[in-house]
Amino acid sequence: MASTFSFDIVSDFDRQELVNALDQTNREIGSRYDLKDTQTTVELADEKITVNTASEMTLDAVHDMLQSKALKRNLSLKIFDYGKIESSSGNRIRQEITLKKGISQDIAKQISKLIRDEFKKVQPSIQGDVVRVTAKDKDELQAVMQRLKQEDLPVALQFTNYR
């Protein structure tokens, strides 16, 4: 009986953990002495986070807080795509941080090529924004996972549906 094993490579994040990280960031903004009177807001929409603050110095402080809270909650920093800083009303600045989800076609092709070149007994296939990897040996799949963890790709990768 020749059975095959597979797993999916996805790029996703836990939205509830992101909400918790943003709540912690907002609480810390309210309690920190240097940010207390800046009227800084960090708001989450469906696909983006909007930061509205007084200066670039406070924006950097908010970035540091947000990144540290996200890391503590096992969120990759690769999900944040920082937009350009815009001036807002009342001598303030604003920045939109887009949340990256899914694997683009270019990156999926790059992952497939890497797998095909280095692992001859493994078959990758692109299915939308997911790359499915199949093989007859579970050890081969585990080797692919280890190799992809070493690769520095511009998206956060997770491995799901391992069977």
Side-chain angles (χ1 to χ4, degrees):
M1 178 175 140
S3 64
T4 59
F5 303 101
S6 68
F7 71 90
D8 293 340
I9 304 169
V10 297
S11 180
D12 202 357
F13 58 88
D14 186 351
R15 186 161 181 88
Q16 187 57 49
E17 291 295 339
L18 180 65
V19 168
N20 293 342
L22 286 172
D23 286 345
Q24 286 180 331
T25 302
N26 279 323
R27 257 186 262 125
E28 189 172 331
I29 288 170
S31 65
R32 268 182 51 169
Y33 181 75
D34 59 338
L35 298 174
K36 203 177 263 186
D37 295 330
T38 61
Q39 297 168 344
T40 299
T41 60
V42 181
E43 297 169 352
L44 176 64
D46 286 341
E47 304 275 326
K48 63 186 170 193
I49 299 169
T50 305
V51 180
N52 193 331
T53 188
S55 68
E56 285 198 36
M57 184 189 76
T58 56
L59 183 65
D60 289 341
V62 170
H63 284 178
D64 290 343
M65 276 189 286
L66 180 60
Q67 290 172 356
S68 69
K69 304 297 182 207
L71 285 174
K72 285 180 185 172
R73 298 194 159 273
N74 294 326
L75 294 170
S76 173
L77 297 182
K78 293 180 180 179
I79 66 170
F80 300 123
D81 184 19
Y82 297 96
K84 68 178 199 201
I85 300 169
E86 305 164 351
S87 58
S88 182
S89 63
N91 221 9
R92 300 175 59 76
I93 59 171
R94 190 182 110 151
Q95 183 178 36
E96 287 187 350
I97 304 169
T98 308
L99 301 171
K100 292 195 278 186
K101 213 175 192 179
I103 299 174
S104 69
Q105 285 295 101
D106 294 339
I107 296 171
K109 288 177 184 176
Q110 182 181 347
I111 291 170
S112 293
K113 182 177 179 343
L114 181 118
I115 293 171
R116 265 192 230 102
D117 290 348
E118 295 188 21
F119 301 95
K120 300 301 179 200
K121 296 180 180 178
V122 178
Q123 296 84 35
S125 64
I126 300 170
Q127 300 173 348
D129 61 351
V130 175
V131 178
R132 168 139 317 149
V133 181
T134 57
K136 291 188 177 187
D137 186 14
K138 283 187 176 182
D139 293 338
E140 289 285 329
L141 293 179
Q142 301 227 335
V144 170
M145 286 183 198
Q146 291 301 319
R147 177 63 180 94
L148 288 174
K149 286 179 184 176
Q150 295 169 1
E151 196 68 21
D152 186 30
L153 295 167
V155 294
L157 297 180
Q158 290 85 32
F159 307 110
T160 60
N161 294 336
Y162 183 72
R163 18 181 120 100

